[in-house]
Amino acid sequence: MFAVPDNTVALTEKPVLRHPVRIALEFAADRDRWRHLLRYDPDERFSALVEARDDEEIWLMGWLPGQHTDLHDHGHSTGAFTVVSGRLTETVARRGVTEVHALSAGQSRVFGPGYVHQVRNDGPDPAISIHVYRSGGRVMRSYHLDPVTGPVRD
């Protein structure tokens, strides 16, 4: 036990200073916050804005088997995403290298400017993910993959 001086001031926490993975994990665990928004669309991946504050947006995404994004980056945005349920596969494209990450519930990935990737549900079951976007929101710029030079912006 320790004593706290009378003149101690507790500062308000600033969400923007918290790591985006931590925020994604907290939203993933608090299903009551977004359960009413969840839908699955047979034609395209579903997304809904859960919360927007200052310089940050939190999005919910529902993925049916086979649904995917195109190869893209997020402009100047930074952030992270976490798989809530199901499985997602992330393919990261860089010059000369393509990385594939198989993600299951509770696993997260981070991104920033210049991070080109594709996300897809290759599994047999629907998947849910939470995405946190900072400094620019949910921008998606399309790319195609050149086998020699790597990702090329469309």
Side-chain angles (χ1 to χ4, degrees):
M1 180 74 66
F2 60 91
V4 178
D6 291 335
N7 64 351
T8 300
V9 177
L11 299 175
T12 310
E13 182 181 43
K14 294 181 180 180
V16 173
L17 297 178
R18 296 175 61 222
H19 197 284
V21 167
R22 186 171 179 178
I23 293 169
L25 287 168
E26 287 175 6
F27 271 78
D30 189 0
R31 292 178 184 229
D32 290 338
R33 216 166 179 176
W34 50 262
R35 178 178 293 141
H36 64 285
L37 298 171
L38 181 62
R39 305 281 182 276
Y40 293 104
D41 184 326
D43 298 321
E44 62 184 4
R45 168 183 52 92
F46 170 81
S47 61
L49 179 63
V50 178
E51 189 172 308
R53 52 190 179 200
D54 295 332
D55 198 21
E56 182 173 81
E57 295 178 0
I58 295 93
W59 286 78
L60 168 69
M61 297 192 189
W63 312 72
L64 289 174
Q67 290 181 333
H68 60 87
T69 66
D70 292 328
L71 191 63
H72 67 280
D73 75 3
H74 295 285
H76 297 291
S77 294
T78 60
F81 70 95
T82 294
V83 178
V84 178
S85 65
R87 295 182 169 275
L88 293 174
T89 301
E90 180 195 40
T91 302
V92 181
R94 295 189 188 112
R95 184 178 178 148
V97 177
T98 300
E99 301 171 3
V100 177
H101 303 276
L103 306 167
S104 57
Q107 292 184 303
S108 303
R109 298 287 297 165
V110 297
F111 57 85
Y115 188 83
V116 179
H117 68 156
Q118 178 187 44
V119 181
R120 68 182 312 119
N121 180 354
D122 288 326
D125 300 314
I128 301 169
S129 57
I130 296 286
H131 301 243
V132 177
Y133 300 94
R134 289 187 175 157
S135 304
R138 191 176 164 235
V139 173
M140 290 180 69
R141 300 186 308 187
S142 295
Y143 284 74
H144 67 274
L145 191 58
D146 180 282
V148 176
T149 62
V152 178
R153 193 163 156 208
D154 292 338

